Amino acid sequence: NAGVTQTPKFQVLKTGQSMTLQCAQDMNHNSMYWYRQDPGMGLRLIYYSASEGTTDKGEVPNGYNVSRLNKREFSLRLESAAPSQTSVYFCASSYRGVEYGYTFGSGTRLTVV
Amino acid sequence: AQSVTQLGSHVSVSEGALVLLRCNYSSSVPPYLFWYVQYPNQGLQLLLKYTSAATLVKGINGFEAEFKKSETSFHLTKPSAHMSDAAEYFCAVSEGTGGFKTIFGAGTRLFVKA
């Protein structure tokens, strides 16, 4: 039972480089989310996809784009990485709305130098 | 707008002692409330959730939380701490049915002493 799978687990980028974080879930969940975790700040929502074909901004969307490729996959793209985007990124999914609670991936630790 | 405050960024207890992690929320509508646990280098795992049914909610690993509307609190407790409970705990609040946004607290790291 894989749950939510994120790749890569670690990444170092130089300022200005781009990259895409991949996320896939195998639980037939409808909704998917991208969060970033910074020390002392909890988790902050970057983007979410309520259902296949839809995406919406969260609390901190600037500098990011997302694609809901199909029901299983939800990717996060950094077009021009900045040191302020150094963080741990978590993908999560839920059956439908937030009342079901989230299943999280194991995270991607990103460092921008 | 919803917000969550977790009192104490670090809590230390002895093995076998009561665990109490405090969470207060603000919400303009009846909320859904959650506690998540994060072990080192892992993602968050749902411990328990309140979704307007019973006010005392039981979760995994012997944890429970009580929703108190008058105090806008949702404190997490466990009668007897175990070494394996050492982790970071996050309280979270969401809007009602149909919402897709969850606001997380800053987290409380629990240390368990032998």
Side-chain angles (χ1 to χ4, degrees):
Chain A
N1 54 341
V4 178
T5 303
Q6 291 183 237
T7 55
K9 293 191 181 302
F10 301 93
Q11 184 71 49
V12 179
L13 289 179
K14 293 182 178 180
T15 298
Q17 286 185 319
S18 62
M19 79 162 296
T20 299
L21 280 63
Q22 307 287 352
C23 175
Q25 53 91 8
D26 63 0
M27 297 169 290
N28 200 34
H29 284 174
N30 293 287
S31 306
M32 299 185 73
Y33 311 81
W34 276 105
Y35 279 87
R36 60 177 289 172
Q37 183 180 30
D38 300 292
M41 301 187 72
L43 278 76
R44 292 179 293 168
L45 182 64
I46 305 171
Y47 271 93
Y48 68 98
S49 171
S51 60
E52 185 178 356
T54 69
T55 60
D56 284 285
K57 295 179 180 179
E59 181 184 357
V60 289
N62 291 344
Y64 305 95
N65 285 300
V66 291
S67 295
R68 183 74 182 267
L69 304 171
N70 48 53
K71 189 172 185 178
R72 291 186 64 249
E73 298 173 287
F74 188 40
S75 63
L76 177 71
R77 182 161 179 83
L78 287 70
E79 291 291 351
S80 179
S84 60
Q85 294 178 305
T86 293
S87 187
V88 181
Y89 291 85
F90 287 101
C91 178
S93 69
S94 65
Y95 173 64
R96 194 166 289 140
V98 295
E99 66 266 33
Y100 294 90
Y102 295 159
T103 299
F104 281 87
S106 59
T108 296
R109 187 173 296 274
L110 175 67
T111 302
V112 183
V113 298
Chain B
Q2 291 84 359
S3 66
V4 178
T5 302
Q6 291 185 241
L7 301 178
S9 58
H10 298 83
V11 170
S12 182
V13 300
S14 298
E15 193 172 20
L18 171 72
V19 176
L20 171 61
L21 304 182
R22 300 177 187 274
C23 173
N24 288 88
Y25 69 92
S26 67
S27 176
S28 57
V29 298
Y32 293 158
L33 294 158
F34 308 84
W35 276 99
Y36 287 86
V37 60
Q38 184 180 32
Y39 299 102
N41 299 315
Q42 294 186 26
L44 281 70
Q45 179 183 0
L46 181 65
L47 263 182
L48 51 79
K49 63 180 179 179
Y50 167 77
T51 56
S52 75
T55 56
L56 182 62
V57 182
K58 295 186 184 299
I60 61 173
N61 302 337
F63 284 93
E64 62 182 36
E66 186 173 7
F67 171 65
K68 292 187 176 180
K69 184 177 179 180
S70 60
E71 299 177 7
T72 60
S73 69
F74 191 57
H75 302 330
L76 182 70
T77 60
K78 182 175 180 178
S80 177
H82 191 273
M83 298 295 288
S84 61
D85 294 326
E88 189 155 23
Y89 293 80
F90 293 91
C91 182
V93 61
S94 304
E95 293 180 339
T97 304
F100 293 92
K101 295 183 179 180
T102 301
I103 306 300
F104 286 81
T108 298
R109 185 166 296 278
L110 176 67
F111 297 93
V112 182
K113 300 175 292 185

